[in-house]
């Protein structure tokens, strides 16, 4: 039975919220109630916005609220579940296609491609593990934690970018790969296959956190067994020593694409740990989230590189059919089914987290089902975008992966620099609408602008450096990270700010 809660939000104004909440539960004191939905200030003291409604461990119930603090009484789960949460979404053709691009489009040899793909996946896995750690302590999504480095309204920059790239961009990419696989398997019209894929993934994301985790858990063994068998067959048919014609700067392009794919999950990290209890094992959280992401990405991208050596570039870049053509019919059919299931696994996270990021922007949505309603909206927009991308996906996908790296790397620079300056910030900083930290958005925009202008290397725009020196490849995300970090740290060093842990300074 679906739950529709209409309760107001609780507003508390503690010095350290979790401890305050524990004291409150012990004494039975009532919380003060907000006079308006999403108000976060009362008098001169900042409060913490608490998610309304009762959700607990219910699966077939719509998760209430949006980007608010998860009460301690609602906390549940264990770190091990992060392994399948971050493995299942990458067991899909979009992951494999990154490896295909490295060989069939960029012209790398198998071993060079493998090195680039492993390095990109490894960095994304490490940052994923680090970012996941703050979820249990602060009980909020990743894009709410981002407010520490960007301020409440300045955070609209990364939160808005993530809501678009996750809830619409990634949604379209994965819907296309799932629809193409279902089309090859069933021979149904592509548009009908796309509609089936979209309907399933939007339905799961609409219900929310518990159903998302459960779906990834049961998809995990199916996807793992099928893809491991298929990977063994494909790798046995690969030609690692095959001749190749390397595109100028191909290694860095493949590295950037692999990094872009893995790091694309980073802005979601604490979305899936915020329901854990604050005393959850930190080492286990970092390990299971990081290793799940790295292993699944690296393995399937290497399989994609193997496909690029085993078939012609045209066939490899055409879609799932190039890969499944290397398999016997029963295994090929199972692999196509797994590709469709993997696309759904990826997109339930993309829609869910995209909706959370949208609610984290700070736009007033006076609905207890605000996240679920936004998820439906993203699904509708993503469907039409995916429909337009059913053809000529290769070049568009490469550009999309690089663009993701272009903005996430500067965002990570701000986030990690702020972690360095602000070791133990108060929870109330996350909900103070009057708090600013303009160093974050300014540094990010400067880092993005200069790095894209100088080093972007894709079909839509060629930067100054690769125009004159094509062998440089694409150094946009690396340079963007460094410039952003220097601007952010330099700003706070000059202004002697950035170490405030409470609203009082």
């Amino acid at each position: 039975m679906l739950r529709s809660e209409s309760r107001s939000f609780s507003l508390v104004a503690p010095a350290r919220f979790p401890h305050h909440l524990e004291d409150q539960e012990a004494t039975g004191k009532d919380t003060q109630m907000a006079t308006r939905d999403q108000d976060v200030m009362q008098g001169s003291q900042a409060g913490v916005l608490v998610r309304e409604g009762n959700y607990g461990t219910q699966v077939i119930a719509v998760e209430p609220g949006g980007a608010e603090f998860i009460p301690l009484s609602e906390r549940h789960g264990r770190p091990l579940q992060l392994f399948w949460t971050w493995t299942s979404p990458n067991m899909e053709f979009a992951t494999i296609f990154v490896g295909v691009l490295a060989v069939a489009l960029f012209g790398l040899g198998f071993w060079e491609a493998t090195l680039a793909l492993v390095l990109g996946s490894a960095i994304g896995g490490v940052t994923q593990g680090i970012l996941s750690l703050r979820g249990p302590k602060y009980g909020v999504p990743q894009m709410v934690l981002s407010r520490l480095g960007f301020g409440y309204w300045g955070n609209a920059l990364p939160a808005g970018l993530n809501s678009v790239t996750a809830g619409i961009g990634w949604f379209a990419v994965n819907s296309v790969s799932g629809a193409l696989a279902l089309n090859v398997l069933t021979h149904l019209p592509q548009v009908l296959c796309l509609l089936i894929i979209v309907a399933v993934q939007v339905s799961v994301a609409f219900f929310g956190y518990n159903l998302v985790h459960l779906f990834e858990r049961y998809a995990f063994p199916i996807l793992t067994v099928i893809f491991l068998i298929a990977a063994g067959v494909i790798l046995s048919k690969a030609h690692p020593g095959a001749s190749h014609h390397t595109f100028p700067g191909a290694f860095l392009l493949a590295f950037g694409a692999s990094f872009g794919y893995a790091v694309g999950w980073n802005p979601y990290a604490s979305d899936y740990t915020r329901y854990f209890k604050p005393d959850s094992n930190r080492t286990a959280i970092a390990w299971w989230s990081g290793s799940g992401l790295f292993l699944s990405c690296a393995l399937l991208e290497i399989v994609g590189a193997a496909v690029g050596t085993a078939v012609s570039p045209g066939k490899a870049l055409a879609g799932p059919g190039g890969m499944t053509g290397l398999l016997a019919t029963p295994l090929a059919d199972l692999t196509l089914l797994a590709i469709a299931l993997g696309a759904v696994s990826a997109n339930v996270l993309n829609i869910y987290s995209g909706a959370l990021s949208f609610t984290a922007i700070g736009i007033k949505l006076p609905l207890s089902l605000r996240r679920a309603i936004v998820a439906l909206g993203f699904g509708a927009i993503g469907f039409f975008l995916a429909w337009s991308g059913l053809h000529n996906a290769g070049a568009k996908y490469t550009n999309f992966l690089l663009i993701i790296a272009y903005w996430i790397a500067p965002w990570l620079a701000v986030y990690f620099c702020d972690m360095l300056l602000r070791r133990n910030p108060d929870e109330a900083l996350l909900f103070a609408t009057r708090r600013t930290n303009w160093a974050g958005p300014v540094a990010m925009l400067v880092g993005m602008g200069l790095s894209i202008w100088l080093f972007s290397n894709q079909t839509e725009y060629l930067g100054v450096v690769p125009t004159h020196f094509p062998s440089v490849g694409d150094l946009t995300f690396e340079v963007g990270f460094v410039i952003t970090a220097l601007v952010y740290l330099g700003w706070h060093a000059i202004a002697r700010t950035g170490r405030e842990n409470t609203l009082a300074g």
Side-chain angles (χ1 to χ4, degrees), residues 169-327:
W170 270 121
F171 177 88
V173 167
N174 292 313
S175 295
V176 167
S177 68
L180 291 176
L182 196 60
N183 167 255
V184 174
L185 176 63
T186 64
H187 304 293
L188 292 171
Q190 287 185 348
V191 174
L192 178 58
C193 292
L194 178 62
L195 186 60
I196 293 171
I197 293 291
V198 169
V200 174
Q201 54 203 18
V202 170
S203 297
V204 175
F206 177 80
F207 282 97
Y209 181 89
N210 290 335
L211 185 57
V212 167
H213 270 300
L214 188 70
F215 185 90
E216 305 298 351
R217 176 182 178 181
Y218 285 104
F220 172 72
I222 300 171
L223 294 170
T224 301
V225 170
I226 294 174
F227 274 115
L228 283 178
I229 295 172
V233 174
I234 291 172
L235 290 171
S236 71
K237 296 183 177 181
H239 302 289
S243 61
H244 55 93
H245 303 284
T246 304
F247 189 83
F251 183 87
L252 285 176
L253 285 169
F255 172 55
S258 176
F259 173 77
Y261 185 90
V263 84
W265 298 114
N266 281 186
Y268 310 1
S270 73
D271 298 2
Y272 303 95
T273 61
R274 75 193 200 282
Y275 272 88
F276 291 176
K277 294 181 178 179
D279 60 354
S280 297
N281 188 302
R282 289 171 56 83
T283 301
I285 289 173
W287 170 255
W288 290 122
S289 56
S291 62
L293 179 60
F294 166 70
L295 291 174
S296 54
C297 287
L299 173 62
L300 265 68
E301 287 171 7
I302 292 171
V303 170
V307 172
T309 68
V311 302
S312 67
K315 185 178 290 186
L317 293 168
M323 168 191 171
T324 55
L326 296 169
L327 307 173

Side-chain angles (χ1 to χ4, degrees), residues 5-16:
E5 300 290 344
S6 58
R7 301 178 186 177
S8 299
F9 283 100
S10 296
L11 181 70
V12 293
R16 300 291 300 163

Side-chain angles (χ1 to χ4, degrees), residues 42-389:
Q42 187 168 32
S44 61
Q45 194 172 23
V48 174
L49 192 64
V50 183
R51 198 215 67 202
E52 88 285 12
N54 297 314
Y55 183 51
T57 59
Q58 298 175 90
V59 174
I60 307 302
V62 179
E63 179 188 3
E68 304 82 32
F69 177 89
I70 305 301
L72 298 185
S73 60
E74 292 275 289
R75 302 297 186 91
H76 61 277
R78 54 194 179 121
L80 177 61
Q81 70 192 56
L82 295 171
F83 186 72
W84 49 74
T85 297
W86 295 118
T87 299
S88 297
N90 297 307
M91 294 288 185
E92 54 150 350
F93 188 71
T95 317
I96 296 169
F97 204 57
V98 176
V100 171
L101 292 172
V103 174
L105 186 63
F106 303 147
L108 286 174
F110 177 78
W111 297 114
E112 289 177 290
T114 296
L115 178 59
L117 299 170
V118 168
L119 286 175
S121 299
I123 296 175
V126 170
T127 52
Q128 185 77 2
I130 295 172
L131 292 169
S132 298
L133 293 175
R134 277 184 163 178
K137 177 180 179 181
Y138 289 96
V140 295
Q142 192 65 55
M143 278 299 149
V144 172
L145 286 169
S146 179
R147 292 172 182 169
L148 293 170
F150 289 84
Y152 190 90
W153 295 112
N155 190 56
L157 173 62
L161 285 170
N162 193 54
S163 64
V164 172
T165 55
I168 299 175
W170 270 121
F171 177 88
V173 167
N174 292 313
S175 295
V176 167
S177 68
L180 291 176
L182 196 60
N183 167 255
V184 174
L185 176 63
T186 64
H187 304 293
L188 292 171
Q190 287 185 348
V191 174
L192 178 58
C193 292
L194 178 62
L195 186 60
I196 293 171
I197 293 291
V198 169
V200 174
Q201 54 203 18
V202 170
S203 297
V204 175
F206 177 80
F207 282 97
Y209 181 89
N210 290 335
L211 185 57
V212 167
H213 270 300
L214 188 70
F215 185 90
E216 305 298 351
R217 176 182 178 181
Y218 285 104
F220 172 72
I222 300 171
L223 294 170
T224 301
V225 170
I226 294 174
F227 274 115
L228 283 178
I229 295 172
V233 174
I234 291 172
L235 290 171
S236 71
K237 296 183 177 181
H239 302 289
S243 61
H244 55 93
H245 303 284
T246 304
F247 189 83
F251 183 87
L252 285 176
L253 285 169
F255 172 55
S258 176
F259 173 77
Y261 185 90
V263 84
W265 298 114
N266 281 186
Y268 310 1
S270 73
D271 298 2
Y272 303 95
T273 61
R274 75 193 200 282
Y275 272 88
F276 291 176
K277 294 181 178 179
D279 60 354
S280 297
N281 188 302
R282 289 171 56 83
T283 301
I285 289 173
W287 170 255
W288 290 122
S289 56
S291 62
L293 179 60
F294 166 70
L295 291 174
S296 54
C297 287
L299 173 62
L300 265 68
E301 287 171 7
I302 292 171
V303 170
V307 172
T309 68
V311 302
S312 67
K315 185 178 290 186
L317 293 168
M323 168 191 171
T324 55
L326 296 169
L327 307 173
T329 301
L331 181 56
D333 289 345
L334 284 174
T335 303
L336 288 169
L337 184 62
I339 289 173
L341 177 60
V344 175
S345 294
N347 269 349
V348 296
L349 299 189
N350 288 321
I351 305 170
Y352 179 81
S353 286
L356 283 180
S357 294
F358 186 82
T359 61
I361 293 175
I363 298 173
K364 298 291 189 294
L365 294 172
L367 297 167
S368 62
L369 301 181
R370 59 183 56 80
R371 179 209 52 77
I373 299 302
V374 173
L376 287 179
F378 281 164
I381 297 171
F383 169 77
F384 289 105
L385 182 61
W387 191 356
S388 69

Side-chain angles (χ1 to χ4, degrees), residues 378-465:
F378 281 164
I381 297 171
F383 169 77
F384 289 105
L385 182 61
W387 191 356
S388 69
L390 284 172
H391 305 287
N392 191 27
K396 294 179 181 178
Y397 187 39
T398 303
N399 292 341
F400 180 64
L401 290 171
L402 292 174
I403 289 171
I404 288 173
Y406 292 173
W407 81 260
I408 291 184
W411 170 75
L412 283 173
V414 171
Y415 191 89
F416 287 141
C417 286
D418 194 78
M419 286 181 66
L420 180 66
L421 295 175
R422 203 187 316 270
R423 298 299 179 89
N424 193 31
D426 191 273
E427 293 86 353
L429 292 176
L430 300 172
F431 298 98
T433 58
R434 297 180 183 178
R435 177 182 171 270
T436 60
N437 187 1
W438 294 113
V442 169
M444 182 173 170
L445 288 172
V446 171
M448 288 173 59
L450 288 177
S451 60
I452 292 172
W453 172 59
L454 290 171
F455 292 99
S456 176
N457 190 348
Q458 55 169 292
T459 59
E460 297 300 321
Y461 174 73
L462 197 62
V464 175
V465 175

